[in-house]
């Protein structure tokens, strides 16, 4: 740091160094009347005081909060403890909202990645029986097809009911289908018994169990003969159906432009005979 003519004053170079800014910024602040030197000497050199460093910190803080230079100037002209307190309270609330938004976004992306990533190396042709741990879900009520004309109407009702039941819950998660054990054994898998969101904040659970798992390609509900083939595999492998089936769609419009390429995963609850 260079010497100053009076120790309580700082040259623009020294002040820039101490305030972690630069000469051009200070000259600009002076030009627009946001922060001017405390004094000018006969040689027109600018000199600042140590307390003015806190003004630079205030400007920097306000800019970090997204305030424009004009807004900061108005704030400086009308500054008072009450005004600053109210400003910071509003900004804290805004920051908290943004933090919560980013946390929700990260949770959604993490969940979607957990669904998509395993499918990159899955053997779509093979059937298997595998233990799957419990997963949180948002489970809808039993679909009333006397009230809803088809599964699309039933899904719309499921979404409306879920929003009413869980107004603070983020429902921007994959929505999949569940069929009862009775329906599967009766060969009736046209329309789901229930829908559910695969949501990490869900209050329900997809049960931990052994599942017979198989895959096929096609749009929503277009499972072809997957149910027949997977049930035949279950019977031939010494297992029996002992619970619901879950029809899931790990790869959909997020990954493909054509619904013919969607990947469907069917999971039927089983146990050894």
């Amino acid at each position: 740091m260079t010497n100053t003519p009076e120790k309580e004053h700082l040259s623009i170079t020294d002040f820039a160094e101490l305030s972690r800014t630069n000469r051009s910024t200070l000259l600009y602040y002076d030009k627009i009347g946001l922060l001017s030197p405390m004094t000018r000497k006969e040689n027109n050199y600018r000199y600042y005081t140590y307390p003015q460093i806190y003004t630079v910190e205030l400007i920097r803080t306000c800019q970090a909060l997204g305030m424009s230079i004009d807004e900061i100037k108005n704030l400086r002209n009308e500054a008072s403890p009450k005004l600053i307190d109210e400003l910071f309270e509003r900004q804290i609330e805004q920051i908290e909202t943004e933090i919560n938004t980013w946390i929700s976004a990260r949770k959604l992306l993490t969940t979607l990645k957990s669904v998509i990533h395993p499918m990159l190396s899955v053997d779509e042709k093979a059937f298997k029986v595998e233990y799957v741990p419990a997963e949180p879900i948002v489970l809808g009520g039993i679909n009333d097809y006397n009230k809803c004309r088809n599964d699309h109407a039933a899904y719309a009702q499921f979404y409306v009911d879920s929003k009413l039941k869980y107004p603070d819950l983020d429902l921007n998660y994959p929505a999949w289908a569940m069929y009862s054990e009775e329906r599967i054994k009766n060969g009736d898998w046209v329309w789901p018994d229930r829908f559910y969101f695969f949501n990490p904040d869900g209050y329900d659970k997809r049960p931990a169990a052994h599942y017979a798992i198989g895959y096929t390609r096609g749009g929503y509900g277009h499972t072809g003969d997957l149910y027949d083939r997977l049930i035949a595999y279950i019977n031939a492998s010494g297992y029996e159906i002992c619970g619901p089936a879950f029809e899931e769609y790990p790869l959909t419009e997020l990954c493909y432009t054509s619904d013919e390429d969607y990947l469907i995963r069917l999971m039927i609850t089983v146990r050894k005979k």
Side-chain angles (χ1 to χ4, degrees), residues 34-93:
L34 181 58
L35 173 64
S36 297
M38 184 59 65
T39 185
R40 294 175 188 266
K41 298 300 181 180
E42 294 177 357
N43 55 11
N44 203 34
Y45 285 178
R46 295 168 170 83
Y47 289 97
Y48 296 80
T49 60
Y50 285 96
Q52 288 183 290
I53 294 173
Y54 298 106
T55 302
V56 176
E57 292 295 339
L58 174 62
I59 295 170
R60 185 180 291 116
T61 299
C62 291
Q63 287 180 313
L65 296 175
M67 295 179 65
S68 69
I69 290 296
D70 286 339
E71 289 172 326
I72 298 172
K73 283 182 64 177
N74 292 335
L75 177 66
R76 291 278 297 132
N77 293 334
E78 302 173 10
S80 71
K82 185 175 185 297
L83 184 64
I84 295 296
D85 180 70
E86 292 173 351
L87 168 67
F88 285 175
E89 180 63 28
R90 291 195 302 271
Q91 293 296 338
I92 289 170
E93 291 176 359

Side-chain angles (χ1 to χ4, degrees), residues 4-242:
T4 58
E6 301 174 16
K7 66 179 181 179
E8 70 270 18
H9 290 98
L10 298 165
S11 70
I12 188 171
T13 300
D14 292 340
F15 185 78
E17 180 182 345
L18 282 175
S19 62
R20 295 177 293 114
T21 184
N22 56 64
R23 287 174 54 92
S24 60
T25 299
L26 293 174
L27 291 173
Y28 173 66
Y29 288 168
D30 185 16
K31 180 180 179 181
I32 64 174
L34 181 58
L35 173 64
S36 297
M38 184 59 65
T39 185
R40 294 175 188 266
K41 298 300 181 180
E42 294 177 357
N43 55 11
N44 203 34
Y45 285 178
R46 295 168 170 83
Y47 289 97
Y48 296 80
T49 60
Y50 285 96
Q52 288 183 290
I53 294 173
Y54 298 106
T55 302
V56 176
E57 292 295 339
L58 174 62
I59 295 170
R60 185 180 291 116
T61 299
C62 291
Q63 287 180 313
L65 296 175
M67 295 179 65
S68 69
I69 290 296
D70 286 339
E71 289 172 326
I72 298 172
K73 283 182 64 177
N74 292 335
L75 177 66
R76 291 278 297 132
N77 293 334
E78 302 173 10
S80 71
K82 185 175 185 297
L83 184 64
I84 295 296
D85 180 70
E86 292 173 351
L87 168 67
F88 285 175
E89 180 63 28
R90 291 195 302 271
Q91 293 296 338
I92 289 170
E93 291 176 359
Q94 180 180 334
I95 290 170
E96 289 294 337
T97 298
E98 292 177 358
I99 288 173
N100 291 333
T101 298
W102 282 108
I103 289 174
S104 296
R106 181 179 63 184
K107 188 177 296 184
L108 174 60
L109 292 176
T110 300
T111 300
L112 293 175
K113 188 176 186 301
S114 75
V115 170
I116 293 171
H117 185 73
M119 299 300 105
L120 301 181
S121 58
V122 74
D123 184 354
E124 300 176 27
K125 304 298 182 182
F127 291 149
K128 64 180 178 180
V129 171
E130 179 179 300
Y131 177 80
V132 179
E135 296 270 17
I137 62 174
V138 177
L139 182 62
I142 297 175
N143 295 331
D144 182 359
Y145 289 109
N146 292 317
K147 180 180 179 181
C148 301
R149 294 170 296 174
N150 52 46
D151 55 341
H152 298 292
Y155 172 76
Q157 189 62 49
F158 156 69
Y159 186 83
V160 170
D161 291 345
S162 297
K163 289 293 290 183
L164 290 174
K165 188 175 182 180
Y166 306 111
D168 298 325
L169 199 61
D170 183 2
L171 298 181
N172 293 318
Y173 284 86
W176 296 332
M178 188 185 83
Y179 296 80
S180 67
E181 175 183 352
E182 180 183 7
R183 292 272 307 283
I184 296 301
K185 288 181 175 178
N186 290 337
D188 178 14
W189 44 76
V190 176
W191 290 344
D193 287 282
R194 297 183 174 193
F195 292 102
Y196 65 95
F197 290 107
F198 189 68
N199 187 318
D201 295 322
Y203 301 105
D204 307 297
K205 294 286 186 181
R206 185 184 65 191
H210 283 88
Y211 292 94
I213 303 174
Y215 299 87
T216 192
R217 295 278 178 169
Y220 291 109
H222 296 168
T223 55
D225 62 351
L226 177 58
Y227 280 88
D228 289 323
R229 291 188 293 114
L230 188 56
I231 291 171
Y233 167 80
I234 292 169
N235 294 330
S237 302
Y239 289 90
E240 62 181 0
I241 299 171
C242 64

